[in-house]
Amino acid sequence: MRRIILGALAALLLIVAGCGGAPAPPSPAGTVTSSASAEQVVAEETDRVAEPASIEIPKIGAVSTVVSLGLNPDETVQVPPVEQPMQAGWYQHGPRPGEIGPAVVLGHVDGGGKPGIFHRLRELAPGDEVVVTRQDGGVAVFVVRLVERVAKTEFPTEKVYGETDAAELRLITCGGSFDPAAKSYRDNVIVYATLAE
């Protein structure tokens, strides 16, 4: 099952024309089959950290509210509207920032001839901070450990979406040269960050 999900993630990333995205892992709630499992689902939801409200990356002057993103009808991951290039979005079917696992935030490199929220994402370096404020007012500070640019055809699905032992964050946008025929950038810029102690 995990292999199928990761394969779908890789395939969907290739056809997103915006700034990269990913399909959702299975719903954390799962399928409710009894009253006991329903109670367990409620308890698990209550224990979760709050959803993200905003993101700030001091080094590059990026500040945005965070909207929730799901899947399009064609099973590609939604991206923030290209007409609003300064809007960041969190993939709501994955971990929330601060939960164990890789939370994913997407943003455009540009849109409508204007710079996007992640226009300067490639400038980040290990040690830089990413601050996520949650809807309950809590704050999660992540420290960048790796920044890479990869061809969309070679997207490192397991590295980005694979299980982790810590609360991690992935920031994804487009990068590299623009392909006029495909109306898309050829690469993705990916930032890997870990929740600060």
Side-chain angles (χ1 to χ4, degrees), residues 9 13 16 18-24 52 55 57 64-72 76-81 84-92 97 103-109 116-119 121 155 160-161 169-174 188-191:
L9 287 168
L13 276 165
V16 176
C19 290
I55 188 168
I57 310 174
S64 176
T65 57
V66 176
V67 297
S68 295
L69 304 172
L71 293 177
N72 294 310
T76 58
V77 172
Q78 294 174 336
V79 294
Q84 298 174 20
M86 293 301 289
Q87 180 66 64
W90 160 69
Y91 183 59
Q92 66 182 339
V104 176
V105 176
L106 312 169
H108 292 290
V109 68
I117 188 65
F118 287 166
H119 185 74
L121 197 66
F155 190 86
V160 172
Y161 298 102
L169 183 67
R170 309 288 190 252
L171 307 178
I172 304 174
T173 194
C174 287
N188 281 118
V189 173
I190 306 165
V191 172

Side-chain angles (χ1 to χ4, degrees), residues 18-92:
C19 290
S27 169
T31 302
V32 176
T33 56
S34 70
S35 59
S37 60
E39 291 171 6
Q40 181 181 4
V41 167
V42 171
E44 288 174 0
E45 186 63 26
T46 302
D47 291 342
R48 297 188 78 185
V49 300
E51 294 184 2
S54 65
I55 188 168
E56 178 179 2
I57 310 174
K59 180 177 181 178
I60 61 173
V63 179
S64 176
T65 57
V66 176
V67 297
S68 295
L69 304 172
L71 293 177
N72 294 310
D74 66 356
E75 303 262 326
T76 58
V77 172
Q78 294 174 336
V79 294
V82 73
E83 300 82 21
Q84 298 174 20
M86 293 301 289
Q87 180 66 64
W90 160 69
Y91 183 59
Q92 66 182 339

Side-chain angles (χ1 to χ4, degrees), residues 163-179:
E163 295 177 10
T164 66
D165 295 329
E168 300 199 7
L169 183 67
R170 309 288 190 252
L171 307 178
I172 304 174
T173 194
C174 287
S177 58
F178 188 78
D179 181 350

